[in-house]
Amino acid sequence: MIVLAIVLLLAIFLLPNLWAKWVLARHARGRDEYPGTGGELADHLIRRLGLEGVRVEMTDQGDHYDPEARRVRLSRENYEGRSLTAVTVAAHEVGHAIQHQQGYAPLLARSRLVVVAQKAEKVGALLMMAAPFLFVLTRLPGGLAIVVAAAVISFGTAALVHLVTLPVEFDASFQRALPLLKEYLPPRDLAGARHVLTACAFTYVAASLASILNLGRWLVILRR
């Protein structure tokens, strides 16, 4: 029974990320018939849509849109790649730039929350590590509980960010990127593009579950 529970938990936490990686890899094969790379499509869309101040850059930090710098950042394989994954991911990230230009409220809220969550997660890690020592030093029965509660809130904030991110990602994928891709991709590739766009969002499902798993791991450590 315990083994089954462990297998089930691992499946819940790992499958979304594994599925997303499988989908992205499945459609990463080079397509010579495509007129440009992911980076070139992103640059073209930015100019076509008049997204002033937005630029495209290659990064080793993963595909993302930086609202502060107004940069669409693509991994090397998607920036230089001429594949369904490359052009679809590029369109997805441009979708975030469109959201930003239009003042899409959930994106702006997420950007503010990300800053808070990054600080809260660091504080949470420190509190988790310091909790047993603080309890010994203070000798207060409720001292440990207070510190653990603060740490739970800190780690929980990270999970909340990823959950809030989901509607932002789906909007960028299916309300912004997909209508654009329909103008550039052959009809036979649209089903694959939808799968890639879904995978882009599911990476945040995996990240949210990972945050929850990390919180549980620390709680187990503290109970020892």
Side-chain angles (χ1 to χ4, degrees):
M1 189 67 179
I2 295 177
V3 174
L4 181 60
I6 293 174
V7 171
L8 181 60
L9 284 174
L10 286 174
I12 292 173
F13 286 114
L14 296 178
L15 283 180
N17 192 38
L18 292 175
W19 178 82
K21 288 182 177 180
W22 176 78
V23 169
L24 294 174
R26 179 187 179 191
H27 297 288
R29 178 176 57 84
R31 300 286 295 274
D32 293 335
E33 69 270 29
Y34 284 3
T37 65
E40 289 169 341
L41 176 62
D43 186 64
H44 166 74
L45 290 175
I46 287 168
R47 287 185 283 105
R48 172 192 158 183
L49 298 171
L51 303 178
E52 296 183 4
V54 180
R55 298 290 182 271
V56 185
E57 296 178 349
M58 188 164 59
T59 182
D60 57 0
Q61 301 299 315
D63 305 288
H64 66 280
Y65 171 69
D66 184 343
E68 291 189 9
R70 297 182 67 80
R71 294 292 184 268
V72 169
R73 295 189 173 124
L74 301 173
S75 60
R76 178 179 294 275
E77 56 267 27
N78 290 330
Y79 185 88
E80 298 179 342
R82 197 184 296 258
S83 66
L84 181 58
T85 290
V87 298
T88 303
V89 169
H92 171 84
E93 299 305 337
V94 171
H96 287 308
I98 298 171
Q99 291 174 331
H100 191 195
Q101 184 193 53
Q102 296 178 351
Y104 183 61
L107 174 69
L108 302 180
R110 182 190 72 171
S111 299
R112 291 190 292 267
L113 191 57
V114 163
V115 176
V116 174
Q118 289 173 341
K119 295 178 180 178
E121 193 167 8
K122 291 178 182 178
V123 172
L126 290 174
L127 287 173
M128 284 293 209
M129 289 185 288
F133 302 102
L134 293 175
F135 178 67
V136 171
L137 290 174
T138 60
R139 299 292 183 179
L140 295 175
L144 182 60
I146 293 172
V147 176
V148 172
V152 168
I153 293 172
S154 299
F155 278 112
T157 305
L160 177 62
V161 168
H162 296 306
L163 291 175
V164 170
T165 293
L166 282 176
V168 176
E169 294 298 313
F170 278 109
D171 179 86
S173 284
F174 297 104
Q175 300 302 318
R176 320 284 176 164
L178 187 59
L180 293 171
L181 289 169
K182 287 179 178 178
E183 302 178 27
Y184 293 92
L185 294 177
R188 68 178 184 277
D189 285 341
L190 289 178
R194 288 188 178 92
H195 289 157
V196 172
L197 291 171
T198 303
C200 289
F202 261 72
T203 57
Y204 289 91
V205 174
S208 179
L209 292 174
S211 296
I212 295 172
L213 181 62
N214 193 35
L215 173 59
R217 180 173 64 87
W218 276 104
L219 290 176
V220 169
I221 292 172
L222 284 175
R223 289 184 62 185
R224 291 177 180 175

